[in-house]
């Protein structure tokens, strides 16, 4: 093998390695784009490939329970009826978690509409707009879809560790932040596994 041929082979090998490393690095960004598009389209089959629903459900349950606990702590010195309301809200954690651990819920989370822990809250439904025209509640009035924000949220995304990728959402300087957390599931596969409502 001539020196020129060897140098071409080495160059090609280096290029392949650099391209592979670039793809591995970009893989969570690609996964985020794919799951967001699938969730917006309510493509449940594709969403299932990118979301660990049992882990997401457990995370949502913990986060929403923590929200309600903080509310009870804040309202202890206030109106006793507010405490009763918070306790009723705690009983509704299960249905709220179930409504957000769906393609509709994933679409809401990835579009800047996280759960707030309000009794009867549900994410915008498919077909209600982009992501939803959430003003249409069922006739019973028991549940209410979240009103989407007027402006899309500011997002930042990046690695928290080698196997954890975090997307943080915030609507404005004074608004609360929250994060969607992805974990590596193989070399280039990622899954949404948790939400951190505290940013």
């Amino acid at each position: 093998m001539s020196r020129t041929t060897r140098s071409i082979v080495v160059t090609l090998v280096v290029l392949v390695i650099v391209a592979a490393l670039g793809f591995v690095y970009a893989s969570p960004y690609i996964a985020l784009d794919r799951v967001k598009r699938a969730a917006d389209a309510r493509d449940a089959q594709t969403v299932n490939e990118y979301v660990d629903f049992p882990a997401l459900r457990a995370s949502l349950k913990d986060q929403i329970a923590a929200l309600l606990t903080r509310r009870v702590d804040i309202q202890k010195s206030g109106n006793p009826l507010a405490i009763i309301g918070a306790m009723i809200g705690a009983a509704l954690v299960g249905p709220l978690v179930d409504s957000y651990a769906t393609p509709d819920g994933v679409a809401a989370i990835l579009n800047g509409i996280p759960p707030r822990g309000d009794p009867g809250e549900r994410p915008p439904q498919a077909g209600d707009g982009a992501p939803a025209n959430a003003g249409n509640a069922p006739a019973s009035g028991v549940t209410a879809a979240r009103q989407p924000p007027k402006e899309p949220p500011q997002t930042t995304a990046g690695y928290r560790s080698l196997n954890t990728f975090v997307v943080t959402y915030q609507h404005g300087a004074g608004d609360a932040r929250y994060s969607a957390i992805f974990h590596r599931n193989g070399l280039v596969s990622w899954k949404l596994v948790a939400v951190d409502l505290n940013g």
Side-chain angles (χ1 to χ4, degrees):
M1 185 182 290
S2 71
R3 181 178 295 176
T4 304
T5 306
R6 275 199 306 270
S7 119
I8 291 172
V9 169
V10 169
T11 302
L12 287 174
V13 168
V14 168
L15 287 175
V16 167
I17 291 171
V18 168
L21 290 174
F23 181 70
V24 170
Y25 178 82
S27 61
Y29 296 94
I30 295 167
L32 173 62
D33 179 64
R34 288 180 180 165
V35 71
K36 187 176 182 315
R37 288 175 187 267
D40 287 346
R42 301 328 193 255
D43 176 357
Q45 183 176 352
T46 303
V47 170
N48 284 337
E49 294 174 19
Y50 291 98
V51 179
D52 181 342
F53 279 109
L56 179 61
R57 185 175 280 108
S59 169
L60 286 168
K61 185 176 180 182
D62 292 344
Q63 295 289 312
I64 293 167
L67 281 176
L68 293 171
T69 300
R70 281 195 298 275
R71 282 188 199 156
V72 169
D73 289 343
I74 289 168
Q75 296 168 350
K76 274 182 182 173
S77 60
N79 184 348
L81 293 176
I83 296 172
I84 293 170
M87 290 168 61
I88 291 170
L92 298 175
V93 166
L96 196 160
V97 168
D98 289 342
S99 73
Y100 268 85
T102 62
D104 285 329
V106 171
I109 290 166
L110 298 179
N111 280 293
I113 313 171
R116 291 183 304 208
D118 296 333
E121 177 186 0
R122 64 178 174 80
Q125 304 297 300
D128 285 348
N133 175 8
N136 300 329
S140 68
V142 173
T143 60
R146 288 286 305 279
Q147 182 67 38
K150 290 181 173 58
E151 297 293 327
Q154 299 169 349
T155 60
T156 56
Y159 283 88
R160 185 176 283 172
S161 70
L162 182 63
N163 296 318
T164 304
F165 183 81
V166 178
V167 186
T168 302
Y169 300 83
Q170 185 172 20
H171 283 284
D175 290 344
R177 298 184 322 158
Y178 76 96
S179 300
I181 301 168
F182 290 76
H183 281 180
R184 188 184 298 275
N185 185 38
L187 183 61
V188 294
S189 298
W190 294 81
K191 286 199 172 196
L192 174 63
V193 296
V195 174
D196 181 355
L197 297 179
N198 299 313

